[in-house]
């Protein structure tokens, strides 16, 4: 497998550029060259001259004097880029499917600018690293010394390459002391001409290929090991597609171990709100973590939880509510179901034990959540174990008919307001939502709004707000912490609260989790709640949806597209595929999209996007184009 990688050396003139020349000459169609910062004679130009067919990307900064970059920059009255600037400028290869050879200057411990050493950049890149060492006298010492000091910065080169006259003694000696690295030897071309470089690369192709397979080895091993020891959610133990090896995330991007950045068009399973590692949320996390980890929440309180509860209640449609914390959406639903049933028990109506869910519903994967979200494929196996719950079409009249017949047995109606997510981004209007709510109220049953997915996605803090209704219970999860940490909440309205507000200990809600109200998660969520109290955040969600829908309009009535729908930042394209969720087009679409740098996870015959709010217009355009080309390609 090909991967981006970084070439470092013990020192200037150790042979980095020789290595790069041979590499590019050998693997012209697989790698492109980038040297972010250069001084003096331009290696970028040398590469272009010696390997004219190589794709050479322009440096971010180039200084004339052949001295340390900060010094050279100062002489020109300029400034050197920071690590962050180099990271942000890291280009994508011009040709799809190729990777970058990133060449550093001097030694890893050379100053990159007035404040940072180049090693900081090498560390941040988190890519396989090749250490080039000149094979002249002293090679063993230089190599071991470099490995030692790199280790202190958590950089372990995957290969040491001795460049110069072949020296088997040095190679053996280095290996003897460091059995964690592989040592290779490359001989420079006989002369500095295009032909000589090409010939030399051809002669040493075997060595270069061995180095290349070494580069991809760690990731290949990770994936192979994953296949032996990990069980992924909704995952076959024999998956058709390898898991993506992820090393980081920022903004709308997920960073892969091979240097690729893919756009997280599904907001990491609908959790990421503003973007990955959104600075105010990360700051809240760091600040909280510097004071506290987890403490129990029984007989204990902390400012994080109280502040968050206060902020959540400010968004609620009533006064006098309470917030019950848990740590995932399914549990937030379980808590709501328990509260609803116990509410009726306290009202001397324990026979009201029927919950009513809707076609297309999904409420989570725990037993109560499965029971109210029944779906043949996903929960069919467990059907014999699920408690009885009714499932009706998402239609106020049908609900009314049902409640007319069996309303006296019903505890609550549960619905995902406006968008039924996992069911395939099925959408209904605020009018329908209001009508359903009114039927529930008229028939005297509780109404649970499962906002685990819809919270912060529909152009308002809560989807139910579009309908101006006041649910009795609201379930929140996913974006509650902006997607940074697991946290969920069940917000109970005053009616439910009143039923439990008693000195009678038998009327306690006996429910809790080890990590209830995790302080760090609450601290992050409290800051997030402040951010989302600003309507412009939600306007951005609406703008994202409109932007995508505009660009997807070309798909209308083509390639078997049945319809395109939008609500807030959620856009869904439904295909006329008979196969349902197991339709194999799903895998084809995923593969196609990853090849174009976009992470999509179709829900059966529904291809959707729900990007983080920070997603740039460029990235949104790429998402739309990728959805269109994926659908076009798989339709053939
Ligand atoms: C994801 C989801 C859940 C379950 O949340 P988890 O955190 O995955 O347990 C419940 N309800 C809805 C509407 C969801 O989308």
């Amino acid at each position: 497998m090909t991967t981006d990688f970084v070439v470092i050396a013990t020192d200037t003139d150790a042979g980095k550029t020789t290595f790069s020349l041979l590499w590019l000459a050998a693997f012209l169609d697989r790698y492109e060259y980038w040297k972010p910062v250069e001084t003096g004679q331009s290696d970028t130009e040398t590469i272009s001259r010696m390997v004219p067919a190589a794709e050479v990307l322009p440096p971010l900064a180039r200084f004339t004097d052949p001295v340390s970059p900060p010094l050279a920059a100062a002489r020109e009255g300029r400034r050197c880029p920071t690590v962050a600037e180099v990271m942000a400028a890291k280009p994508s290869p011009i040709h799809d499917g190729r990777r970058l050879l990133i060449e550093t200057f001097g030694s890893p411990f050379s100053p990159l600018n007035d404040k940072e050493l180049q090693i900081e950049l090498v560390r941040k890149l988190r890519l396989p690293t090749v250490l080039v060492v000149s094979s002249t006298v002293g090679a063993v010492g230089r190599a071991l010394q470099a490995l030692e000091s790199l280790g202190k910065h958590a950089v372990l080169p995957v290969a040491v390459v001795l460049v110069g006259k072949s020296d088997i003694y040095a190679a053996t000696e280095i290996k003897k002391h460091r059995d964690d690295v592989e040592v290779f030897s490359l001989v420079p071309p006989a002369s500095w001409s295009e032909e000589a470089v090409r010939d030399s690369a051809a002669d040493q192709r075997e060595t270069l290929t061995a180095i290349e397979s070494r580069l991809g080895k760690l990731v290949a091993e990770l994936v192979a090991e994953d296949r032996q020891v990990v069980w992924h959610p909704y995952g076959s133990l024999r998956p058709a597609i390898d898991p993506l090896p992820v090393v980081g995330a920022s903004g709308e991007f997920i960073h892969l171990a091979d240097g690729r950045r893919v756009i997280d068009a599904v907001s990491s399973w609908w959790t990421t709100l503003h973007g990955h590692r959104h600075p105010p949320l990360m700051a809240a996390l760091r600040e909280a973590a510097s004071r506290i980890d987890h403490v129990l929440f029984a007989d204990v309180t902390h400012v994080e939880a109280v502040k968050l509860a206060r902020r959540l209640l400010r968004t609620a449609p009533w006064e006098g509510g309470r917030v019950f914390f848990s740590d995932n959406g399914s549990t937030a639903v379980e808590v709501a179901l328990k509260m609803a049933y116990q509410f009726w028990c306290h009202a001397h109506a324990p026979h009201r034990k029927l919950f009513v869910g809707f076609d297309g519903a999904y409420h989570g994967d725990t037993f109560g959540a499965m029971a109210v979200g029944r779906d043949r494929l996903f929960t069919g196996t467990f059907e014999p174990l699920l408690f009885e719950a009714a499932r009706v079409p998402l239609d106020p009249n049908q609900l009314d008919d049902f409640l007319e017949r069996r309303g006296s047995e019903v505890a609550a109606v549960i619905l995902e307001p406006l968008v039924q997510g996992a069911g395939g981004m099925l959408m209904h209007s605020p009018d329908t939502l209001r009508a359903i709510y009114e039927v529930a109220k008229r028939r005297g049953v509780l109404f649970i709004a499962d906002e685990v997915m819809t919270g912060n996605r529909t152009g308002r803090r809560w989807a139910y707000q579009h309908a101006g209704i006041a649910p009795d219970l609201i379930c929140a999860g996913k974006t509650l912490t902006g997607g940074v940490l697991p946290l969920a909440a069940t917000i109970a309205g005053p009616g439910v609260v009143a039923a439990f507000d008693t000195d009678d200990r038998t009327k306690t809600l006996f429910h809790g989790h080890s990590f209830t109200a995790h302080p760090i998660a609450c601290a992050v969520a409290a800051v997030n709640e402040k951010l989302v109290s600003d309507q412009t955040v939600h306007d951005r969600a609406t703008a994202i949806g409109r932007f995508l829908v505009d660009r997807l309009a070309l798909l209308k009535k083509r390639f078997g597209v049945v319809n395109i729908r939008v609500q807030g930042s959620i856009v869904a394209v439904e295909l006329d595929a008979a196969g349902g969720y197991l339709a194999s087009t799903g895998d084809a679409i995923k593969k196609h999209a990853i090849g174009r740098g976009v992470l999509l996870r179709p829900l059966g015959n529904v291809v959707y996007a729900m990007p983080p709010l920070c997603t740039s217009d460029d990235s949104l355009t790429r998402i739309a184009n990728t959805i269109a080309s994926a659908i076009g390609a798989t339709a053939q």
Side-chain angles (χ1 to χ4, degrees):
M1 78 166 260
T2 54
T3 168
D4 287 3
F5 71 103
V6 187
V7 182
I8 59 177
T10 48
D11 212 334
T12 318
D13 292 334
K16 279 192 297 279
T17 307
T18 307
F19 173 87
S20 299
L21 280 171
L22 294 174
W23 189 271
L24 291 164
F27 306 128
L28 257 183
D29 53 349
R30 296 225 288 277
Y31 293 87
E32 300 182 4
Y33 177 84
W34 188 50
K35 183 161 181 177
V37 178
E38 40 176 39
T39 62
Q41 192 208 341
S42 167
D43 290 333
T44 302
E45 278 165 27
T46 309
I47 301 269
S48 297
R49 204 169 56 245
M50 298 284 175
V51 193
E55 198 66 70
V56 171
L57 301 161
L60 172 63
R62 173 159 165 58
F63 305 101
T64 319
D65 275 357
V67 294
S68 169
L71 188 56
R75 287 181 186 166
E76 294 177 31
R78 291 162 62 200
R79 172 179 87 70
C80 282
T82 60
V83 169
E85 283 164 348
V86 178
M87 292 297 293
K90 179 175 173 262
S92 289
I94 292 174
H95 303 271
D96 273 350
R98 290 197 194 166
R99 304 308 332 151
L100 289 183
L101 180 169
I102 302 174
E103 190 177 312
T104 56
F105 62 85
S107 122
F109 297 96
S110 304
L112 175 67
N113 52 51
D114 289 340
K115 296 211 177 66
E116 298 163 304
L117 299 180
Q118 193 170 228
I119 185 76
E120 285 306 311
L121 175 63
V122 176
R123 240 164 50 93
K124 282 269 162 62
L125 283 166
R126 293 199 61 167
L127 290 170
T129 303
V130 169
L131 173 67
V132 173
V133 183
S134 156
S135 71
T136 52
V137 176
V140 177
R142 283 194 303 276
L144 293 178
Q145 208 170 6
L147 289 170
E148 189 77 22
S149 26
L150 288 166
K152 295 214 170 87
H153 292 261
V155 173
L156 174 66
V158 295
V160 171
V161 181
L162 294 166
V163 175
K165 233 175 83 212
S166 170
D167 183 344
I168 296 186
Y169 168 75
T172 324
E173 205 58 20
I174 295 169
K175 195 76 191 115
K176 193 178 337 160
H177 296 281
R178 292 296 300 249
D179 57 7
D180 52 348
V181 295
E182 210 58 59
V183 186
F184 301 88
S185 295
L186 286 175
V187 183
S191 70
W192 295 109
S193 72
E194 199 185 319
E195 297 72 36
V197 169
R198 189 171 354 125
D199 291 349
S200 174
D203 288 349
Q204 305 185 80
R205 198 175 166 95
E206 207 175 310
T207 307
L208 292 162
T209 304
I211 299 172
E212 195 198 25
S213 73
R214 184 73 196 156
L215 288 174
K217 197 162 170 249
L218 287 180
V219 171
E221 280 171 2
L222 173 75
V223 171
E225 208 177 345
D226 174 287
R227 285 191 167 225
Q228 284 168 15
V229 299
V230 178
W231 198 325
H232 285 269
Y234 296 102
S236 159
L237 294 187
R238 300 181 175 190
I241 306 181
D242 279 335
L244 296 174
V246 171
V247 292
S250 63
E252 71 264 45
F253 299 104
I254 294 179
H255 306 184
L256 305 188
D258 62 7
R260 277 180 295 166
R261 293 197 319 177
V262 298
I263 302 172
D264 188 357
V266 297
S267 287
S268 281
W269 252 2
W270 322 342
T271 57
T272 308
L273 179 58
H274 311 277
H276 287 283
R277 291 187 20 253
H278 190 52
L281 302 183
M282 298 311 283
L285 189 158
R286 274 192 297 272
E287 193 283 324
S290 72
R291 287 183 290 111
I292 195 168
D293 54 348
H294 177 62
V295 295
L296 75 169
F297 203 56
D299 304 328
V300 161
T301 191
H302 41 73
V303 66
E304 286 76 17
V306 174
K307 195 187 231 175
L308 174 58
R310 166 87 49 223
R311 287 193 175 151
L312 282 171
L313 288 173
R314 253 182 233 147
T315 69
W318 15 246
E319 300 281 319
R322 293 265 191 149
V323 179
F324 190 102
F325 291 110
S326 55
D327 44 34
N328 64 78
S330 307
T331 323
V333 169
E334 296 291 335
V335 170
L337 300 178
K338 278 190 169 181
M339 284 179 174
Y341 178 63
Q342 198 174 340
F343 168 90
W344 289 112
C345 290
H346 296 182
H348 309 291
H351 56 279
R352 282 188 176 264
K353 58 188 169 104
L354 189 61
F355 287 90
V356 183
F358 294 90
D359 289 346
Y362 174 80
H363 298 292
D365 284 346
T366 49
F367 274 90
M370 283 197 291
V372 293
R374 279 189 163 79
D375 175 282
R376 220 171 346 110
L377 174 61
F378 291 113
T379 60
T381 309
F382 305 103
E383 189 57 43
L385 306 181
L386 301 182
F387 62 70
E388 190 197 348
R391 189 180 172 98
V392 300
L394 205 159
D395 172 81
N397 295 324
Q398 303 235 31
L399 176 65
D400 201 35
D401 289 349
F402 181 83
L403 292 180
E404 179 164 24
R405 282 185 285 118
R406 300 191 59 186
S408 63
E409 303 162 53
V410 172
V413 166
I414 179 165
L415 175 62
E416 299 151 83
L418 298 193
V419 187
Q420 294 177 296
M425 300 298 157
L426 307 171
M427 299 183 187
H428 55 270
S429 70
D431 287 343
T432 302
L433 172 58
R434 192 178 318 110
I436 284 178
Y437 170 79
E438 279 165 1
V439 168
K441 289 293 100 181
R442 188 152 35 78
R443 296 285 179 184
V445 303
L446 296 174
F447 184 92
I448 304 171
D450 178 357
E451 294 263 7
V452 172
M453 189 282 281
T454 47
N456 294 317
R457 294 286 181 201
T458 68
R460 297 267 189 106
R461 173 64 186 88
W462 307 106
Y464 74 78
Q465 291 171 328
H466 291 268
I469 61 173
D472 299 292
L473 290 152
I474 302 161
C475 305
K478 294 196 168 112
T479 62
L480 191 55
T481 59
V484 174
L485 288 166
L487 185 72
T490 306
I491 311 173
V496 174
V497 169
F500 291 82
D501 193 4
T502 159
D503 289 327
D504 181 352
R505 293 289 292 152
T506 65
K507 293 190 172 171
T508 304
L509 176 72
F510 287 108
H511 190 101
H513 295 279
S514 314
F515 287 105
T516 299
H518 193 290
I520 301 177
C522 286
V524 173
V527 170
N528 186 49
E529 213 52 50
K530 191 161 181 201
L531 297 178
V532 300
S533 66
D534 180 349
Q535 179 57 32
T536 56
V537 168
H538 305 296
D539 293 345
R540 175 66 191 149
T542 308
I544 284 177
R546 292 214 181 107
F547 187 102
L548 289 173
V549 153
D550 277 354
R551 275 153 191 80
L552 289 169
L554 61 103
L555 285 174
K556 263 185 204 146
K557 302 213 167 72
R558 298 175 65 197
F559 308 121
V561 168
V562 180
N563 80 44
I564 304 175
R565 40 185 189 259
V566 59
Q567 174 69 60
S569 59
I570 308 166
V571 172
V573 181
E574 183 168 335
L575 303 175
D576 173 23
Y581 192 85
L582 295 177
S584 60
T585 41
D587 277 351
I589 286 174
K590 278 190 218 174
K591 264 193 187 150
H592 177 99
I594 280 294
R596 279 163 180 70
V598 179
L599 181 71
L600 294 178
R601 294 192 84 255
L603 295 159
N605 57 329
V606 177
V607 185
Y608 73 93
M610 184 195 292
L613 299 179
C614 71
T615 309
S616 69
D617 285 0
D618 274 357
S619 293
L620 290 176
T621 304
R622 183 174 269 259
I623 293 171
N625 291 346
T626 302
I627 290 178
S629 66
I631 290 176
T634 49
Q636 269 131 50

